[in-house]
Amino acid sequence: MANTKQSTRRRNKTTASLRRTLRREVPSTVGLIADEYDFSAMRQYRTFTFDDHPTYLRQIEALLKTLASRQLHTTVGLFDPEDFAEYCTEASLDPDAAFSRSRYTAAIAARGATLAYTGQPVTSLLPQLINKAVRQATWEYATMLLADLGNCADCGQDIGRAAFDRATRILMSLLEAAGPGSHHMVCSIPAPDEQLVAVLHAEGAADAQAQLDASEGAEFVTVLATGIALETPGGVVLRTSADGTPDRLHGWRLHEGSLVPLTAGEVFSAYCTDTNTGEPLSPEPGVEYCAGFAITTDDPDNHH
């Protein structure tokens, strides 16, 4: 009888150990409500029991730290109450239920606008998460615009694809001509419903192709392609930093699907004018305002 009890205890201990091991291999996802406005919207639900946003954020941070202490991989996504309500309607879920919030959190994780928790404070995590969500929304909207353009009535070519290919060649040409240094590029394009902005960081070397983040590259090219395909006005600015030299600022305007270099004076005016008041601003110390350089893309003769 004693041996039987000992065997049972050993099996129970082994089972508990295996379960703990499995729990360490199950990733976690946390939905984070970003601001007071969204928090107030969630207060309408009886099962959402938090009273104020600061307390909620402190509890979220404590939860994240606990998960990290257990060596669990945790990702964080933005919890959008309006999107949550729509999700519940489409999925026939009761929005006033913890299960529905959990299922929605899993759904936003699958969309990709999440960040891995690495121990950073929630106050640092939130702006990073908002920035990523905005970037993804911009990319999705620009992608939709390109897809809806269809084929050219004259040649049958997919307009969105042709514009994307051309934007890719323009980006590669810009980075090649920019040369060595740390490059910060911004593309701004007016679209039917909003202003599209994409930001790209790249590291250029004298004897190698510039290194850049694949996601940022795709977002930048998609936004630029939207301006090319729609033939809207827009622009690209490039800031290059290198050791021992002043930062260099270059600029281009988008005209009929092509980037036209700005003069040094136009670049200076764009950077040294208050966009709200039109009043002049002081030049930034240690910065050279330079003309945009010519871009060679080797485009096919019949491009959009």
Side-chain angles (χ1 to χ4, degrees), residues 113-197:
T114 59
L115 287 175
Y117 176 70
T118 58
Q120 65 270 53
V122 168
T123 51
S124 299
L125 183 65
L126 262 175
Q128 297 172 10
L129 193 57
I130 292 170
N131 178 61
K132 186 166 185 179
V134 169
R135 283 173 47 199
Q136 177 152 330
T138 298
W139 175 77
E140 290 175 351
Y141 177 59
T143 299
M144 179 195 68
L145 290 176
L146 290 175
D148 287 346
L149 291 174
N151 297 332
C152 175
D154 295 327
C155 67
Q157 191 176 23
D158 185 311
I159 298 173
R161 168 52 60 182
F164 188 90
D165 291 344
R166 177 166 168 76
T168 301
R169 291 191 294 271
I170 289 175
L171 174 58
M172 292 300 100
S173 179
L174 279 170
L175 291 175
E176 181 179 1
S182 297
H183 307 304
H184 176 85
M185 301 176 65
V186 179
C187 178
S188 179
I189 302 293
D193 296 322
E194 61 182 273
Q195 186 80 13
L196 301 179
V197 178

Side-chain angles (χ1 to χ4, degrees), residues 135-300:
R135 283 173 47 199
Q136 177 152 330
T138 298
W139 175 77
E140 290 175 351
Y141 177 59
T143 299
M144 179 195 68
L145 290 176
L146 290 175
D148 287 346
L149 291 174
N151 297 332
C152 175
D154 295 327
C155 67
Q157 191 176 23
D158 185 311
I159 298 173
R161 168 52 60 182
F164 188 90
D165 291 344
R166 177 166 168 76
T168 301
R169 291 191 294 271
I170 289 175
L171 174 58
M172 292 300 100
S173 179
L174 279 170
L175 291 175
E176 181 179 1
S182 297
H183 307 304
H184 176 85
M185 301 176 65
V186 179
C187 178
S188 179
I189 302 293
D193 296 322
E194 61 182 273
Q195 186 80 13
L196 301 179
V197 178
V199 179
L200 173 70
H201 301 85
E203 294 295 328
D207 55 354
Q209 190 175 37
Q211 300 298 307
L212 63 151
D213 179 80
S215 297
E216 285 190 357
E219 294 160 8
F220 189 94
V221 166
T222 303
V223 169
L224 178 57
T226 302
I228 292 172
L230 298 178
E231 294 192 347
T232 61
V236 171
V237 293
L238 165 66
R239 181 173 186 143
T240 298
S241 303
D243 292 338
T245 62
D247 284 7
R248 303 188 311 275
L249 290 174
H250 302 269
W252 296 261
R253 61 184 176 88
L254 190 62
H255 178 67
E256 295 182 351
S258 297
L259 284 185
V260 179
L262 297 177
T263 66
E266 288 172 325
V267 173
F268 180 88
S269 177
Y271 272 91
C272 299
T273 303
D274 189 307
T275 55
N276 294 320
T277 65
E279 294 295 318
L281 300 173
S282 300
E284 188 176 348
V287 172
E288 292 182 356
Y289 299 88
C290 309
F293 40 80
I295 301 169
T296 303
T297 58
D298 297 325
D299 284 326

